[in-house]
Amino acid sequence: MDLTGFFNEAFAARDSILKGLEATIAISALAICLGTVLGVSVGLALTYGARPLRWIARFYTDFIRGTPVLVLVFASYYVLSTVGLDLPPFQAGVLALTVFCSSHVGEIIRGALQAIPIGQIEASKAIGLTFPQTFAYVLGPQAMRQILPAWVNTAAEMVKASTLLSIIGVGELLLRIQELISRTFLSLEFYFFAGVLYFAVNYAIERFGQYVERRVALPA
Amino acid sequence: MSDYLLEIRNLHKSFGVVEVLKGVDCGMRAGEVISVIGSSGSGKTTMLRCINMLEDFQGGSILIDGEEIGYVTAGGVRRRKSEGEIARQRALTGMAFQQFNLFPHMTAVGNVMLGLVKVKRMKRDEARAVAERWLDRVGLLDRAERYPGQLSGGQQQRVAIARAIAMNPKLMLFDEVTSALDPELVNEVLQVIKALAADGMSMVVVTHEMRFAYEVSTRVIFMNQGRIGEEGDPREMFNRPRTERLAEFLKSSPFTK
Amino acid sequence: MGYTLNFAAVWRSFDLLLEGLALALGLAFAGILIGCAIGLAVAFSLTAKSQLWRRPARLYVTIIRNTPILVLILFAYFALPEIGVRLSKLNSFILTLAIYSGAYLAEVFRAGLLAVPAGLREAGLAIGLREGQIRVSVIIPLMLRNALPSLGSTFISLFKDTSLAAAIAIPELTFEARKINVETFRVIETWIVTSLLYVATCAALAAFIRFVERRLAIPR
């Protein structure tokens, strides 16, 4: 293992690596934010929607969850241009990840809302709360505590999924590392380095999630 | 303004194809305490839940202080009232549940205040004063800032009763409120209900506690297979049941054997 | 738009897609088998009394779960040869799947183990069984029944992850689909069919797992 060589090369390429890291964070953040917004709508449709809406949401969720992320990425990359939406790889990739994220978030929300005992809705009705009030003050807050850990998990999944965009040529971290490897032939060192970087990001997310969970936990 | 606080006229309710209430008639004046007894499946809880529209009903009508609950018949067509109207009518009654159903993410006082602030539109300090007064009434003022997870079953149920009463309902509905409690915690809840009855609160109490029904009710209703089997003065009914079914039912309780 | 759907091109190569699907299933199956062995060992390690066992096990699980699987795949195939471990494409991919799923299965099995009442081990000791015998005859069978639903969903996840074998040119379903896509330009048809194949297979696997759960359930 050529450690000094590796550090030299890594330092020389620090701009490229930083740009890659930037892209990875941008991809992940966009996918998480947009995916969550979309996912909330899907989740609410799944839980409270009228039958046709629920079926559409169900079909959407089941179809997306049954499809590998890479297939979603390829489909987005290749298909969009034929239907007139000429998106560059970055946007196509983010779109695919957003859709993927939304299906997970939708399921998480549905699960959390349906896990709330029906007695909570009845007690709210009994004191005369309307449904919007019930959702805002009783159901929502309880669901949030259940959603949080699963959502943090989904966020980490998005960071890991961002690596797939290297396959369609988006200049995120993994692609930059692969470019470095093809120049320097230090595959062992650089793949290991990539692993460490991704691990660091995800581990930070995991710890942040645990911190938030502790802060919002109810006293028992 | 009618003579009766609560009127139930020819109430019919089905779950799918199964008819659970087959024509129930009942009138109740203000200040009365009515205990509803009967075996599982007799329809007693369902009838209670129709009063505050937690259950829809297909036939008959329910009136509280002369106001028709849940449905309105105009020109021969029966129509369900709007959700907003039904929510307003629900605030006329207060209900305490078997499973307490306290909001776990709010403190005891927070639970009691929610309805006051959001439904009765009280200012927060006013609501807090009212809430604390009612928590004191049920003996739990010192636990006001605790969360439900930190309270015993009996304490939770007392907070749940305070939550319902604080809304100043015309009628209180109790749905087997001691059935989910450990035996040693049952009494503290019954004491609270007795005190409320003594203060003149109108109540309908679905219960298995025969001694309680005997001591507190002004009237007892025995439900049997979706109809009222027998009703009357508790002393009369428990000591001299007129129907075979009631006699059978009373044998199963240690108090009334 | 001017794009008319024509499934004939995809239909002609359908056998290639099916072969790819079969390969994907085979890879997933091989991966989960070895993964189960790893996961079981690590799960016992995680629940051991001594830190000497728990620490390394926890480290393994945390590292693998926070690293993108694509990085692991590339590392196994491209980087390992540098330290003398030269595996074929298939073998390196199966190894990666095994190590990846092993970390998730370790958590699944750990939860299953914790759900087995402690008193059973003592009852076994009381009748003179040795620890190993108790594990094999009592603990593991009960743990597997507890763990079956999670084990099933991990397998389905792993099956979807086989799509990443395309990144190292293994001819599984996604790789074949991309080839057809690039050769025939029938983008929409290709990806709809590929997606449907994945979704249908996942649904079939889920139904099979539910069937196995029912068969193995202890009568009550």
Side-chain angles (χ1 to χ4, degrees):
Chain A
M1 194 154 25
D2 179 9
L3 268 179
T4 27
F6 163 72
F7 279 119
N8 284 334
E9 292 288 357
F11 187 74
R14 66 190 180 287
D15 269 338
S16 172
I17 293 176
L18 278 173
K19 283 223 178 64
L21 199 53
E22 216 179 272
T24 292
I25 293 176
I27 294 168
S28 313
L30 277 170
I32 293 168
C33 292
L34 297 172
T36 300
V37 170
L38 183 57
V40 169
S41 322
V42 173
L44 291 176
L46 279 173
T47 320
Y48 301 124
R51 270 235 215 109
L53 187 60
R54 241 186 313 158
W55 281 347
I56 296 176
R58 185 82 261 159
F59 179 75
Y60 171 81
T61 312
D62 286 348
F63 195 80
I64 301 298
R65 281 168 62 105
T67 308
V69 196
L70 186 57
V71 172
L72 290 174
V73 169
F74 278 143
S76 175
Y77 179 65
Y78 288 117
V79 171
L80 288 181
S81 44
T82 54
V83 298
L85 216 73
D86 236 312
L87 288 179
F90 182 89
Q91 277 85 328
V94 169
L95 177 64
L97 293 184
T98 299
V99 166
F100 178 63
C101 181
S102 72
S103 68
H104 274 255
V105 171
E107 261 305 301
I108 291 171
I109 289 180
R110 182 198 65 82
L113 286 172
Q114 290 186 339
I116 299 176
I118 196 163
Q120 292 292 304
I121 298 180
E122 296 190 342
S124 308
K125 282 185 183 176
I127 59 178
L129 292 174
T130 60
F131 187 73
Q133 287 177 318
T134 304
F135 188 80
Y137 304 117
V138 177
L139 298 176
Q142 291 187 61
M144 284 308 291
R145 281 182 178 82
Q146 177 133 346
I147 288 170
L148 207 53
W151 182 83
V152 170
N153 197 41
T154 304
E157 289 294 317
M158 289 302 112
V159 173
K160 292 193 273 181
S162 70
T163 54
L164 268 57
L165 268 55
S166 64
I167 301 182
I168 54 171
V170 177
E172 44 70 69
L173 183 60
L174 186 57
L175 187 70
R176 304 278 182 171
I177 299 275
Q178 286 177 310
E179 287 169 354
L180 264 183
I181 290 174
S182 63
R183 259 197 311 114
T184 66
F185 298 102
L186 296 172
S187 48
L188 183 67
E189 293 85 341
F190 275 108
Y191 275 126
F192 188 78
F193 179 59
V196 168
L197 284 175
Y198 278 106
F199 173 80
V201 174
N202 279 320
Y203 190 65
I205 294 177
E206 184 184 316
R207 292 304 291 243
F208 178 70
Q210 286 169 350
Y211 167 74
V212 177
E213 243 187 293
R214 271 198 310 271
R215 284 296 303 269
V216 300
L218 291 170
Chain B
M1 195 66 165
S2 140
D3 205 16
Y4 288 107
L5 172 62
L6 171 69
E7 271 186 273
I8 301 178
R9 297 178 184 162
N10 197 25
L11 185 61
H12 283 265
K13 156 93 189 155
S14 304
F15 284 108
V17 293
V18 182
E19 201 181 20
V20 173
L21 294 174
K22 301 173 183 165
V24 176
D25 291 277
C26 177
M28 171 188 179
R29 289 190 172 77
E32 285 200 72
V33 175
I34 297 187
S35 289
V36 185
I37 62 176
S39 18
S40 319
S42 57
K44 53 189 197 300
T45 293
T46 308
M47 179 183 73
L48 197 76
R49 288 161 62 90
C50 285
I51 297 176
N52 70 348
M53 283 297 284
L54 283 186
E55 299 287 352
D56 291 347
F57 49 95
Q58 288 76 32
S61 55
I62 297 178
L63 295 99
I64 294 181
D65 243 353
E67 188 184 330
E68 272 227 43
I69 298 295
Y71 299 88
V72 66
T73 310
V77 178
R78 186 175 186 267
R79 194 177 46 83
R80 193 172 193 271
K81 290 186 176 176
S82 71
E83 282 310 314
E85 180 62 17
I86 292 179
R88 190 197 59 77
Q89 290 187 322
R90 286 202 182 107
L92 295 172
T93 57
M95 179 175 256
F97 300 83
Q98 185 173 345
Q99 300 297 335
F100 335 137
N101 293 339
L102 285 182
F103 306 131
H105 58 302
M106 298 177 181
T107 57
V109 71
N111 262 272
V112 181
M113 281 170 66
L114 182 66
L116 298 173
V117 173
K118 300 298 176 188
V119 179
K120 299 242 170 198
R121 315 282 176 106
M122 282 186 186
K123 291 207 170 36
R124 287 201 82 86
D125 10 349
E126 200 190 332
R128 176 163 267 268
V130 173
E132 286 179 350
R133 197 175 77 229
W134 284 107
L135 281 175
D136 196 22
R137 270 304 242 84
V138 301
L140 286 171
L141 183 57
D142 58 333
R143 297 267 198 278
E145 300 302 330
R146 296 288 169 103
Y147 285 89
Q150 299 172 300
L151 301 173
S152 76
Q155 291 169 332
Q156 288 186 54
Q157 191 60 289
R158 285 190 275 153
V159 173
I161 293 174
R163 176 177 65 177
I165 297 249
M167 296 290 287
N168 198 21
K170 298 185 176 180
L171 171 65
M172 269 300 289
L173 307 170
F174 292 91
D175 185 4
E176 303 208 32
V177 295
T178 54
S179 299
L181 292 175
D182 290 335
E184 65 266 19
L185 300 173
V186 167
N187 200 43
E188 65 189 69
V189 175
L190 293 181
Q191 290 308 321
V192 165
I193 303 179
K194 279 187 188 174
L196 291 172
D199 278 349
M201 183 93 236
S202 315
M203 302 180 192
V204 179
V205 183
V206 172
T207 185
H208 287 312
E209 298 283 336
M210 294 303 161
R211 173 185 287 278
F212 172 82
Y214 187 83
E215 289 174 356
V216 181
S217 330
T218 55
R219 195 175 1 147
V220 173
I221 289 179
F222 170 65
M223 293 284 295
N224 182 30
Q225 293 183 335
R227 292 195 174 80
I228 293 184
E230 227 184 290
E231 70 177 295
D233 179 87
R235 269 147 291 276
E236 278 290 316
M237 280 184 64
F238 285 7
N239 296 323
R240 283 181 289 277
R242 274 168 286 146
T243 57
E244 179 81 43
R245 278 298 292 119
L246 179 56
E248 274 299 311
F249 177 78
L250 291 175
K251 282 212 199 85
S252 65
S253 163
F255 174 72
T256 50
K257 250 207 285 282
Chain C
M1 184 170 48
Y3 187 97
T4 43
L5 285 178
N6 177 6
F7 282 89
V10 181
W11 198 244
R12 262 197 304 274
S13 316
F14 197 64
D15 55 336
L16 285 175
L17 289 177
L18 284 182
E19 277 169 28
L21 178 60
L23 179 58
L25 282 169
L27 290 169
F29 198 67
I32 202 99
L33 272 179
I34 306 175
C36 273
I38 297 176
L40 204 55
V42 176
F44 278 116
S45 237
L46 284 172
T47 51
K49 286 195 204 48
S50 146
Q51 286 268 36
L52 213 64
W53 287 105
R54 284 204 317 262
R55 280 259 175 88
R58 178 50 56 194
L59 199 65
Y60 161 71
V61 171
T62 307
I63 289 178
I64 298 297
R65 283 170 64 120
N66 282 312
T67 309
I69 190 175
L70 185 54
V71 174
L72 294 172
I73 293 170
L74 296 171
F75 183 84
Y77 186 62
F78 291 115
L80 282 186
E82 284 195 19
I83 55 174
V85 182
R86 205 170 299 267
L87 296 165
S88 72
K89 283 186 188 169
L90 286 179
N91 286 342
S92 81
F93 188 73
I94 293 176
L95 176 68
T96 311
L97 284 185
I99 294 187
Y100 188 71
S101 64
Y104 287 88
L105 289 175
E107 281 295 337
V108 168
F109 290 152
R110 185 181 75 95
L113 281 175
L114 291 178
V116 176
L120 294 181
R121 176 181 158 270
E122 294 172 346
L125 291 173
I127 60 178
L129 289 174
R130 277 175 287 119
E131 291 279 7
Q133 292 172 309
I134 297 176
R135 273 196 187 161
V136 169
S137 308
V138 178
I139 309 280
I140 292 182
L142 285 174
M143 181 272 288
L144 283 178
R145 275 179 187 77
N146 288 337
L148 209 45
S150 295
L151 175 58
S153 62
T154 305
F155 178 66
I156 293 179
S157 253
L158 204 67
F159 166 68
K160 286 188 284 176
D161 287 334
T162 59
S163 59
L164 295 178
I168 54 175
I170 291 179
E172 47 69 62
L173 179 51
T174 305
F175 181 79
E176 293 294 340
R178 196 183 191 190
K179 243 178 43 173
I180 295 175
N181 178 101
V182 162
E183 283 167 10
T184 69
F185 294 103
R186 296 273 120 215
V187 286
I188 298 184
E189 297 89 327
T190 312
W191 294 112
I192 288 184
V193 171
T194 307
S195 230
L196 283 174
L197 281 173
Y198 273 111
V199 172
T201 309
C202 287
L205 288 172
F208 177 68
I209 290 162
R210 279 197 300 273
F211 168 74
V212 173
E213 274 179 57
R214 275 198 306 272
R215 284 299 302 271
L216 289 183
I218 299 168
R220 36 175 71 238

